[in-house]
Amino acid sequence: MKHRASKSILTAAGLIAAALFLGACGQKSSAGSSDWTEEETLHIAINSDIVSMDVHKTSNDYLVPMNVFDTLFTVKKTDDGTTSIEKSLVDDYDISVDGLTYNFTLKEGIRFSDGTPLTADDVKFTFERMLTLPDSQQTDYAISIKGARELLDGKATELAGISVEDGLHFTITLAEPFSGFLAELATPSASILSRYLVTSAGDDFGNLPEKTIGTGPYIVTSWERGSELTFEYNPGYWGEEPTVKRVTVKVMDATTMNMAFQKGDLDIIDCDNLDSAIIDQTYKTSYANSIVSVDRLGMNYLMLNEGIEPLSDVSVRRAIQMAIDRQSILDSIYGGDGKLEDGVFPTGCLGYSQDNQGWLKYDPDAAKRLLAEAGYQNGFDMELSLDSGADDARKNVVQIIAQNLSDIGIRADVRSYDHAGWLDLRNSGQMPSFLATWSLDFNDPDNVIYTFFGTKENTVIRSDNYPDEDTIKRVADARAIVDRNKRMSEYAALEKQLVETDAVWVPLFSLKHLFVVGDKIDSFTPQWAGWSDMYFTGVRLKE
Amino acid sequence: MSAAIRRSLGVVLVLFGVVLLVFIILRIIPGDPVSVMLNEHANAETISRIRAAMDLDKPAALQFFDYVGNALRGDLGLSYDMKQPVLTLILNAFPNTLKLTVLAAAFAWISGMGAGIICAMYPGKFPDHLFRTTSILGISVPVFMMAFFLQYLLYYKLSLMPLVYDGSLFSLILPALALSSASAGSVARLTRSAMMEQRDAAYLDTVRAKGLTRGRALLRHGLRNAIVPVITLMALQFADMLSGAVITESIFGISGLGKLALSALQTRDMPLLMGTVLFSAFVISVGNLIGDMINRVLDPRLSV
């Protein structure tokens, strides 16, 4: 008995040792020992891992598409805060007078990082895949092409609107004119994939680094799910050689990220991931000269659901617009790093109209009078729905809004939902009132206004339930106006109608996005709309 | 032998119950995987198209039996959120969790039992007071604070340890220490009290009468008798850690089972959540079985 017992303990100890040893051996060595030095390496962190490297299967994670793939066009931020569209994979193009036909020529000699040449057929393949992949999340970016609807509904096998003339030349025909089309082509959503590489990779495309091959400046060299991604410079890249040759992206929580940056193990930290207290007390003081900020092309708004009493009353909505002290929220929560917005389109967005700004003033007394006139002298109860996954700053903003509302007699009850539950309620059209942000995907007024007010279904899923069908139709029709000036003045008129006349939402502000850079960084240009995902080519390392 | 078959059958029943329960709970709580997936980019048409592509538009009962049928054939399905086979995701995550668990258990048990034995040998003396206090500390300090303290001291101040898991065993030491502190405390306290009971037992007098010192008698004979409840506790701790340590894994960037299960719940990723829960339930059931068997070997009276 004595011997048996000690033997089993020995066996157990042996097993544990073996497990540890095997574990150590089983550890994957990072793919290919790197030729790049620490000086050429950029270390960054993200707060949750990407779900897929396949751009058609995600509409949230663009780190891989932005750095490993290319688009036909690209966006540059201009000095006046708006943007311009520049050619990327495209060498030359022209657009027919009716705004329907686009002729493109690709740059010569571009290859995917494994050597496969890029051809016009790959472009056709990319847009067809967007529409035919059963769980595609990017159908919106191909839907304006002629024949897209038929392909999506399974009534066609080919995308009629794209014709390939030869290896470099192709033509895209739209179903109706849409001047935002080039801007759509410039988003990472429209990254160009290779027919051959994607088809031969099968399910591994987007899952395995070695099977996820693009024409872009970087190659994904490893992806350890949940912990780390690494990138290396693609030596066959057709564009300018970046100073960053290797990138590690670690998944870290806020506290860890903060510690790693202060220790010098991270080169850029995204303040969106940090507590506002830490930003104020540490970064805005000790790192004040290392802060890089970019104006976000994004609108923060308080949605008011017109399908729910008494928010269905326009006087009540107007009273709420006047009751919220937006400037003091901006100053107290965000340290003034932003700008008040009075419309639908945030500053920098095409269609932004100076004429529609400056009309909304904080005036709780007028708000109270308006409420009384509407028959709510004793106020009413309403719900403010909060996503419990929101950051601290946003939770605090909601509390201040509730306070502002109570000042005019509205008893706002802040209710928390977990993220999935919150989305569920909002998409059902039943969420009474909530704070949210819309960040631009591509710079065109349609990207904002159509999302919220372009179709009946959209007004439901965004829980605004805007009822005016004429205006909804005008929003949809404005897409197809060919004359640029006419189109922009129609958007300005719609914006005025929606926010000033109908008080569909309380426009709040657009915010700056702050990053802090370490000693190794010479300069850093964040993505044009102020996304957290960055182009590594936008980082210049010191020599 | 029939006992073993009976127990295994029980395990199968437990697993089925777990699957059913998770499925029902996921139906009851609000939230839709496709909405989470699309997040801000949702529109009605895309939602219904992707729901159809993922068979989510089928009746619930049909989905359930599809799932069970496939699971019986060893196919746990594709993760909604991560677009990969659930089994692959679990089998990739499990080695990380296993390594963390084994290391944490080793730290916890060696230090816990060591401290417990020393306490029992010098009751009321300085080492006893010292270890009793530290074990209380170990049990009551939350894991995230322990982790932060370890990271701050050993990474930030002293530069001795890596901040997060980088695949090496070395980088697992901090997370294992953080994870083990509570277990170590419990093991220490249980070992001490079990040994103290033996200390006063009559048979020890007999042993001492044979000429052994008090300490030796306690170590040679008392420990053997005291260890049975400690092993039961250890088996429970081991199974618990093996089903994933969410907080430790999140702080140290370890892609283990806990993180996988948490993200599956947050994204309402039914196949992945079912898979991780099923796997954990399996591991715990098997762990219990093994724990029982070890105890039977150590204490033959249990087999009677």
Side-chain angles (χ1 to χ4, degrees):
Chain A
M1 171 57 213
K2 185 182 173 184
H3 291 284
R4 265 175 72 198
S6 54
K7 208 172 157 192
S8 77
I9 288 171
L10 271 178
T11 319
L15 278 173
I16 289 173
L20 286 173
F21 177 73
L22 280 176
C25 293
Q27 207 38 244
K28 257 183 268 175
S29 58
S30 56
S33 61
S34 166
D35 297 334
W36 310 110
T37 64
E38 183 58 28
E39 284 69 41
E40 296 165 309
T41 305
L42 173 73
H43 299 287
I44 59 171
I46 49 181
N47 65 349
S48 66
D49 198 10
I50 62 167
V51 299
S52 174
M53 298 187 287
D54 181 344
V55 65
H56 294 166
K57 293 187 179 173
T58 171
S59 48
N60 299 301
D61 305 316
Y62 290 122
L63 201 57
V64 172
M66 284 163 75
N67 291 294
V68 175
F69 293 85
D70 284 310
T71 42
L72 295 173
F73 291 85
T74 172
V75 180
K76 286 270 147 38
K77 196 140 189 170
T78 53
D79 293 336
D80 62 356
T82 180
T83 56
S84 70
I85 291 176
E86 294 180 8
K87 293 177 282 194
S88 178
L89 291 177
V90 161
D91 188 40
D92 197 17
Y93 72 103
D94 61 68
I95 307 171
S96 66
V97 185
D98 61 5
L100 282 174
T101 312
Y102 292 66
N103 292 306
F104 297 100
T105 310
L106 290 174
K107 287 196 171 86
E108 247 185 283
I110 294 181
R111 289 172 182 277
F112 287 86
S113 59
D114 73 325
T116 308
L118 169 79
T119 66
D121 178 59
D122 292 322
V123 178
K124 186 177 167 91
F125 167 76
T126 299
F127 286 92
E128 287 180 343
R129 186 173 185 266
M130 262 185 221
L131 295 161
T132 53
L133 196 73
D135 55 348
S136 166
Q137 295 191 25
Q138 302 289 4
T139 51
D140 287 359
Y141 289 88
I143 204 70
S144 42
I145 299 171
K146 191 177 153 203
R149 175 54 56 189
E150 289 76 8
L151 188 61
L152 183 62
D153 293 342
K155 290 179 191 136
T157 52
E158 234 184 307
L159 185 52
I162 301 189
S163 65
V164 174
E165 280 106 64
D166 59 37
L168 294 179
H169 295 86
F170 63 99
T171 303
I172 297 184
T173 312
L174 301 185
E176 55 175 19
F178 176 43
S179 52
F181 186 61
L182 288 188
E184 281 192 331
L185 294 182
T187 65
S189 302
S191 296
I192 302 302
L193 318 179
S194 152
R195 182 189 293 272
Y196 165 71
L197 292 171
V198 172
T199 314
S200 55
D203 284 343
D204 290 339
F205 180 76
N207 275 329
L208 297 183
E210 63 274 20
K211 297 282 185 184
T212 309
I213 294 168
T215 54
Y218 295 90
I219 300 168
V220 199
T221 44
S222 76
W223 180 23
E224 183 73 32
R225 235 178 231 278
S227 59
E228 189 175 6
L229 279 154
T230 55
F231 298 81
E232 276 179 35
Y233 173 58
N234 165 15
Y237 180 54
W238 54 274
E240 199 187 322
E241 186 174 331
T243 57
V244 173
K245 295 301 190 328
R246 188 168 166 270
V247 183
T248 70
V249 183
K250 286 207 167 78
V251 182
M252 289 182 177
D253 71 349
T255 320
T256 316
M257 221 181 261
N258 182 34
M259 218 185 276
F261 182 80
Q262 292 191 27
K263 179 92 174 164
D265 285 345
L266 286 179
D267 299 315
I268 299 178
I269 190 166
D270 178 352
C271 290
D272 273 16
N273 295 325
L274 298 175
D275 260 16
S276 38
I278 293 180
I279 300 174
D280 284 344
Q281 286 157 18
T282 308
Y283 290 101
K284 283 196 176 167
T285 53
S286 319
Y287 292 86
N289 297 326
S290 309
I291 291 181
V292 172
S293 87
V294 57
D295 294 330
R296 278 185 231 248
L297 276 76
M299 186 75 187
N300 288 273
Y301 57 89
L302 178 72
M303 187 61 91
L304 305 170
N305 191 333
E306 298 193 28
I308 288 177
E309 294 278 346
L311 296 176
S312 46
D313 186 332
V314 66
S315 303
V316 171
R317 297 197 301 273
R318 279 204 197 125
I320 293 177
Q321 281 184 332
M322 287 188 282
I324 293 167
D325 190 356
R326 303 176 299 161
Q327 189 65 52
S328 70
I329 293 177
L330 186 60
D331 292 340
S332 62
I333 307 287
Y334 295 104
D337 288 325
K339 177 176 175 301
L340 291 191
E341 300 286 351
D342 287 357
V344 171
F345 311 113
T347 306
C349 177
L350 280 178
Y352 175 83
S353 158
Q354 199 59 53
D355 297 344
N356 288 343
Q357 301 297 317
W359 59 272
L360 180 54
K361 298 274 187 285
Y362 171 58
D363 191 345
D365 296 326
K368 255 188 236 169
R369 281 197 300 276
L370 214 53
L371 268 192
E373 281 164 30
Y376 293 101
Q377 50 274 55
N378 298 323
F380 57 87
D381 296 294
M382 70 179 260
E383 176 185 319
L384 271 171
S385 315
L386 177 67
D387 178 348
S388 63
D391 55 37
D392 280 3
R394 180 164 300 222
K395 287 178 181 159
N396 292 336
V397 172
V398 172
Q399 293 302 338
I400 297 183
I401 288 176
Q403 182 59 46
N404 283 162
L405 290 174
S406 94
D407 290 345
I408 63 161
I410 300 173
R411 294 170 295 278
D413 170 30
V414 178
R415 280 197 64 182
S416 275
Y417 299 83
D418 88 315
H419 184 60
W422 188 90
L423 283 173
D424 212 35
L425 183 62
R426 190 203 66 186
N427 291 357
S428 72
Q430 300 297 313
M431 188 173 276
S433 173
F434 57 95
L435 175 69
T437 308
W438 178 262
S439 297
L440 260 63
D441 300 302
F442 58 96
N443 198 352
D444 189 84
D446 182 69
N447 183 237
V448 192
I449 200 167
Y450 189 84
T451 304
F452 295 91
F453 313 108
T455 65
K456 186 82 200 150
E457 291 75 31
N458 285 5
T459 67
V460 173
I461 214 163
R462 300 285 159 186
S463 270
D464 58 71
N465 287 305
Y466 181 69
D468 182 352
E469 284 175 21
D470 287 341
T471 309
I472 292 175
K473 188 170 180 317
R474 274 174 63 195
V475 169
D477 290 347
R479 281 171 72 96
I481 299 173
V482 180
D483 183 281
R484 185 189 154 100
N485 290 334
K486 266 192 203 153
R487 187 164 181 250
M488 293 307 150
S489 57
E490 172 68 352
Y491 279 125
L494 283 166
E495 181 177 53
K496 196 176 171 74
Q497 169 80 37
L498 284 162
V499 189
E500 218 176 317
T501 311
D502 295 335
V504 287
W505 70 20
V506 184
L508 298 172
F509 32 71
S510 54
L511 295 170
K512 287 183 189 299
H513 191 166
L514 306 185
F515 297 85
V516 187
V517 299
D519 297 337
K520 237 159 76 179
I521 308 294
D522 183 38
S523 70
F524 169 48
T525 314
Q527 191 263 4
W528 62 270
W531 291 0
S532 287
D533 288 338
M534 64 177 79
Y535 290 102
F536 304 145
T537 48
V539 179
R540 270 195 73 82
L541 299 175
K542 286 181 183 155
E543 293 295 317
Chain B
M1 203 60 220
S2 73
I5 294 172
R6 237 190 0 255
R7 300 262 337 226
S8 312
L9 252 156
V11 169
V12 172
L13 256 157
V14 164
L15 295 184
F16 183 79
V18 162
V19 169
L20 185 64
L21 201 68
V22 173
F23 190 84
I24 292 173
I25 290 174
L26 272 179
R27 293 272 135 189
I28 294 172
I29 56 172
D32 166 52
V34 181
S35 297
V36 178
M37 200 184 287
L38 291 167
N39 208 2
E40 274 304 304
H41 295 94
N43 64 57
E45 190 192 345
T46 312
I47 289 182
S48 61
R49 188 173 43 76
I50 296 181
R51 283 185 66 87
M54 299 194 323
D55 285 341
L56 283 169
D57 52 347
K58 285 188 183 169
L62 200 64
Q63 284 182 46
F64 179 71
F65 288 114
D66 274 356
Y67 181 82
V68 173
N70 289 333
L72 285 177
R73 278 187 299 257
D75 175 11
L76 292 179
L78 273 184
S79 155
Y80 292 159
D81 189 51
M82 303 183 184
K83 333 279 179 203
Q84 273 199 322
V86 167
L87 199 61
T88 313
L89 289 169
I90 290 178
L91 292 180
N92 282 338
F94 185 62
N96 290 330
T97 297
L98 183 66
K99 276 183 269 178
L100 176 63
T101 302
V102 169
L103 204 59
F107 287 158
W109 298 348
I110 292 168
S111 62
M113 279 179 59
I117 292 169
I118 293 173
C119 285
M121 288 174 67
Y122 306 98
K125 302 269 169 48
F126 172 72
D128 188 23
H129 289 300
L130 178 72
F131 287 130
R132 277 163 74 186
T133 322
T134 41
S135 66
I136 292 270
L137 217 62
I139 295 170
S140 48
V141 173
V143 104
F144 69 88
M145 264 181 74
M146 190 62 86
F148 177 77
F149 169 74
L150 289 169
Q151 286 179 328
Y152 185 76
L153 185 71
L154 295 170
Y155 163 78
Y156 192 74
K157 280 288 167 203
L158 301 175
S159 306
L160 290 174
M161 289 281 173
L163 177 61
V164 290
Y165 180 51
D166 58 15
S168 70
L169 207 55
F170 185 59
S171 63
L172 263 185
I173 292 177
L174 286 195
L177 278 175
L179 181 61
S180 69
S181 67
S183 311
S186 318
V187 168
R189 293 184 65 80
L190 188 65
T191 310
R192 180 185 180 277
S193 63
M195 293 271 289
M196 291 299 280
E197 263 174 46
Q198 302 303 325
R199 211 186 148 84
D200 304 326
Y203 72 88
L204 269 197
D205 293 337
T206 321
V207 173
R208 287 196 61 200
K210 281 165 43 184
L212 281 177
T213 62
R214 196 171 187 89
R216 287 203 148 205
L218 202 55
L219 269 184
R220 277 224 185 145
H221 297 271
L223 184 59
R224 164 82 63 79
N225 285 305
I227 208 164
V228 171
V230 179
I231 287 185
T232 310
L233 175 73
M234 288 176 177
L236 287 174
Q237 286 177 345
F238 195 80
D240 187 42
M241 289 193 270
L242 210 51
S243 53
V246 180
I247 298 170
T248 313
E249 286 174 5
S250 303
I251 294 174
F252 292 95
I254 302 167
S255 37
L257 276 186
K259 252 175 105 174
L260 207 59
L262 181 68
S263 101
L265 178 65
Q266 285 167 339
T267 56
R268 303 292 190 269
D269 189 338
M270 194 269 282
L272 186 57
L273 189 61
M274 295 272 242
T276 47
V277 172
L278 201 59
F279 189 81
S280 302
F282 178 74
V283 166
I284 290 176
S285 308
V286 171
N288 273 340
L289 222 69
I290 294 176
D292 267 12
M293 277 153 62
I294 293 182
N295 268 348
R296 272 161 211 259
V297 171
L298 289 183
D299 187 354
R301 283 172 301 178
L302 290 171
S303 310
V304 183

